[in-house]
């Protein structure tokens, strides 16, 4: 496994990090982590050189940290780097910062976090973090030895990122970068801003919530022709890990097949050549021709008070865009979304501000509702 040195060169991070937001679950329920299968993933990851584990207070409806705390008990604390995040949307008083942080230490069964982030900063969450003194709080935790490195994850425009990096000193930052969002979400400019401020970058969503594992027929043909034996996800991981200011690339792996494929990509790692960067630009153009909803299944929009399974509905719709198979789509939709389909949306708009991909959720659901009605 390729390792990258971090900042003062005393830390050596695996270029592939295990994101713990898409662990295997029972009966399709996000909160019901399948402990046996998830433990197998953690064990295999650590045995094969992955040493960065990333979780957050909200992942798996609050269960990811609890699982990880139990899964890591058998390992010495210095065998891995542990990262978790402060959910600014759950902070309504200054005391909440301390309360949540204390719970996180307890759930994760540890005295300290190696990497600690203010979670999903956008303009609103950043302003809230300033109002509540969140940076000052995590700096205090760092001074007390409860955090080694402080950072933030980010979803907004480059000008907001400029404000954040100029206001405080950060040890690292986490960005959504992949070969499609490099242009679509101005990830290129965001990456440059971190470079200009000498802030090491951690990447999230390198495979865009799994979408780049099935990037469409034309993109697939291009990439298969160049490397017939390699998976679509391997291209996405190599793209992210080839950027020089990147220290680790997080992937939320849900099964052993994905984990083994990503480990293979990052062992004897082959950086992208200039010709391959150009090829991925072409693949991104082909990907963008499809009418897919850019949902990464992060679930920040959930729960919907009216029962809509927002990421589930979008996932089914995206498979339909890919396959164009109406019968298959309708059958799956009726089977899995009797009470949680697009038609339950009341357009209350509660979910919309929580979506880091800025998807017009009620608008997209309306489109899907109309499609289902016409079929
Ligand atoms: S807009 Fe629709 S999907 Fe979003 S929270 Fe309201 S009812 Fe649920
Ligand atoms: S709709 Fe947005 S917030 Fe909801 S799961 Fe998809 S990307 Fe995440």
């Amino acid at each position: 496994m390729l390792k990258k040195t971090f900042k003062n060169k005393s830390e050596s991070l695996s270029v592939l990090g295990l994101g713990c937001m898409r662990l295997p679950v029972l009966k399709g329920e996000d909160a019901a982590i399948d402990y046996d299968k998830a433990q197998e993933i953690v064990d295999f990851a650590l045995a094969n050189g992955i040493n960065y584990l990333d979780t957050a207070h909200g992942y798996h409806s609050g269960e990811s940290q609890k699982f990880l705390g139990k899964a890591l008990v058998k390992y010495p604390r210095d065998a891995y780097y542990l990262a978790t995040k402060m959910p600014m949307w759950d902070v309504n008083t200054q005391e909440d910062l301390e309360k949540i942080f204390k719970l996180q230490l307890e759930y994760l069964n540890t005295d300290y976090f190696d990497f600690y982030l203010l979670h999903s900063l956008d303009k609103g969450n950043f302003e809230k973090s300033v109002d509540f003194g969140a940076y000052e709080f995590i700096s205090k935790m760092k001074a007390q030895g409860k955090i080694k490195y402080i950072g933030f994850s980010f979803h907004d425009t480059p000008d907001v990122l400029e404000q954040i990096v100029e206001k405080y000193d950060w040890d690292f930052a986490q960005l959504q970068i992949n070969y499609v969002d490099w242009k679509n979400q101005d990830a290129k400019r965001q990456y440059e801003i971190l470079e200009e401020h000498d802030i090491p970058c951690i990447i999230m969503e390198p495979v865009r919530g799994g979408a780049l594992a099935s990037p469409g027929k034309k993109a697939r043909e291009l990439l298969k022709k160049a490397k017939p034996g390699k998976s679509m996800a391997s291209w996405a991981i190599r793209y992210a890990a080839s950027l020089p200011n990147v220290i680790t690339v997080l992937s939320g792996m849900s099964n052993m097949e994905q984990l083994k494929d990503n480990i293979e990509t990052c062992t004897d790692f082959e950086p992208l050549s200039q010709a391959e960067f150009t090829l991925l630009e072409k693949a991104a153009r082909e990907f963008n021709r499809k009418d897919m909803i850019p949902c990464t299944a992060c679930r920040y929009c959930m729960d919907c008070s009216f029962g809509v399974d927002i990421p589930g509905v979008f996932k089914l719709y995206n498979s339909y865009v890919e396959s164009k198979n109406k019968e298959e789509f309708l059958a799956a939709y009726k089977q899995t979304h009797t009470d949680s389909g697009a038609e339950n949306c009341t357009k209350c708009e509660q979910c919309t501000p929580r979506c880091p991909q800025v998807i017009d959720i009620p608008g997209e659901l309306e489109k899907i509702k109309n499609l289902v009605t016409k079929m």
Side-chain angles (χ1 to χ4, degrees):
M1 169 73 53
L2 174 68
K3 298 273 190 335
K4 293 218 181 183
T5 49
F6 174 66
K7 226 162 171 149
N8 54 12
K9 307 205 185 307
S10 62
E11 315 287 3
S12 175
L13 274 65
S14 55
V15 77
L16 178 64
L18 178 63
C20 297
M21 81 294 267
R22 296 191 186 97
L23 294 167
V25 295
L26 297 164
K27 295 183 188 158
E29 289 193 14
D30 188 52
I33 295 173
D34 183 331
Y35 268 58
D36 291 343
K37 285 192 181 153
Q39 180 79 54
E40 203 188 338
I41 286 179
V42 169
D43 291 343
F44 194 86
L46 288 172
N48 286 277
I50 291 179
N51 65 6
Y52 190 99
L53 302 159
D54 170 82
T55 182
H57 206 55
Y59 290 171
H60 286 286
S61 311
E63 295 299 313
S64 172
Q65 293 179 134
K66 293 180 196 165
F67 159 73
L68 209 51
K70 290 182 184 131
L72 292 171
V73 159
K74 61 182 173 177
Y75 295 99
R77 183 61 186 82
D78 60 358
Y80 54 86
Y81 296 109
L82 185 57
T84 193
K85 316 182 184 80
M86 177 64 70
M88 284 316 301
W89 52 90
D90 280 345
V91 175
N92 296 307
T93 63
Q94 273 193 335
E95 291 70 48
D96 285 344
L97 293 164
E98 193 153 0
K99 210 158 46 180
I100 293 170
F101 190 81
K102 230 171 128 188
L103 267 181
Q104 292 179 305
L105 288 171
E106 185 190 316
Y107 290 159
L108 282 156
N109 202 15
T110 186
D111 300 331
Y112 71 95
F113 301 118
D114 300 278
F115 292 79
Y116 194 87
L117 303 87
L118 298 185
H119 197 173
S120 198
L121 290 191
D122 55 12
K123 192 170 188 302
N125 279 334
F126 179 54
E127 284 168 1
K128 201 174 173 195
S129 74
V130 173
D131 289 347
F132 287 119
Y135 182 86
E136 290 75 9
F137 173 76
I138 58 175
S139 299
K140 192 168 95 185
M141 293 302 102
K142 185 178 171 183
Q144 290 177 11
K146 291 177 185 161
I147 295 174
K148 279 172 101 173
Y149 302 107
I150 53 180
F152 64 95
S153 62
F154 179 76
H155 290 284
D156 210 325
T157 52
D159 60 311
V160 177
L161 181 60
E162 293 261 20
Q163 288 170 32
I164 297 174
V165 297
E166 271 161 24
K167 180 143 182 88
Y168 300 122
D169 278 336
W170 302 96
D171 295 316
F172 69 102
Q174 188 167 307
L175 299 180
Q176 174 170 325
I177 295 182
N178 53 62
Y179 69 82
V180 166
D181 289 325
W182 192 246
K183 285 200 174 144
N184 289 9
Q185 295 206 12
D186 233 340
K188 177 176 187 284
R189 182 62 201 132
Q190 296 182 25
Y191 175 80
E192 287 167 356
I193 290 170
L194 292 197
E195 269 195 328
E196 286 159 13
H197 290 78
D198 195 23
I199 300 173
C201 178
I202 290 179
I203 287 187
M204 58 185 157
E205 304 293 6
V207 194
R208 217 174 202 263
L212 298 181
S214 317
K217 192 165 173 278
K218 293 220 167 127
R220 173 181 288 275
E221 279 168 9
L222 281 174
L223 302 180
K224 275 287 169 201
K225 197 171 161 205
K227 278 197 184 285
K230 294 296 174 188
S231 68
M232 294 298 104
S234 74
W235 283 94
I237 297 285
R238 281 178 65 220
Y239 180 89
S242 295
L243 297 167
N245 190 37
V246 167
I247 45 170
T248 192
V249 176
L250 301 175
S251 179
M253 296 165 269
S254 307
N255 57 49
M256 290 297 282
E257 195 190 337
Q258 292 167 357
L259 177 62
K260 285 180 181 169
D261 183 41
N262 287 347
I263 287 173
E264 189 188 311
T265 304
C266 296
T267 308
D268 300 325
F269 182 74
E270 192 191 340
L272 284 189
S273 64
Q274 195 47 52
E276 287 175 323
F277 270 113
T278 308
L279 184 67
L280 283 176
E281 277 175 14
K282 260 195 203 167
R285 282 199 292 276
E286 294 300 339
F287 180 87
N288 283 332
R289 282 191 227 281
K290 301 190 304 167
D291 180 26
M292 281 180 136
I293 300 168
C295 173
T296 61
C298 68
R299 301 184 69 85
Y300 295 172
C301 56
M302 294 292 275
D303 285 337
C304 157
S305 318
F306 298 89
V308 183
D309 172 13
I310 304 166
V313 171
F314 288 170
K315 186 175 175 201
L316 264 187
Y317 172 79
N318 283 344
S319 327
Y320 165 68
V321 171
E322 187 77 8
S323 71
K324 297 275 183 288
N325 187 330
K326 281 187 189 176
E327 289 74 27
E328 194 180 86
F329 168 67
L330 257 189
Y333 187 83
K334 287 188 174 154
Q335 195 189 356
T336 53
H337 289 91
T338 36
D339 300 319
S340 58
E343 48 292 341
N344 293 310
C345 176
T346 62
K347 299 193 174 64
C348 73
E349 300 251 329
Q350 279 174 23
C351 54
T352 318
R354 298 202 294 261
C355 177
Q357 311 304 323
V358 205
I359 297 170
D360 170 13
I361 297 175
E364 294 292 356
L365 289 170
E366 175 79 11
K367 194 168 84 184
I368 296 168
K369 184 178 89 179
N370 292 339
L371 176 78
V372 171
T373 316
K374 274 195 232 138
M375 275 178 167

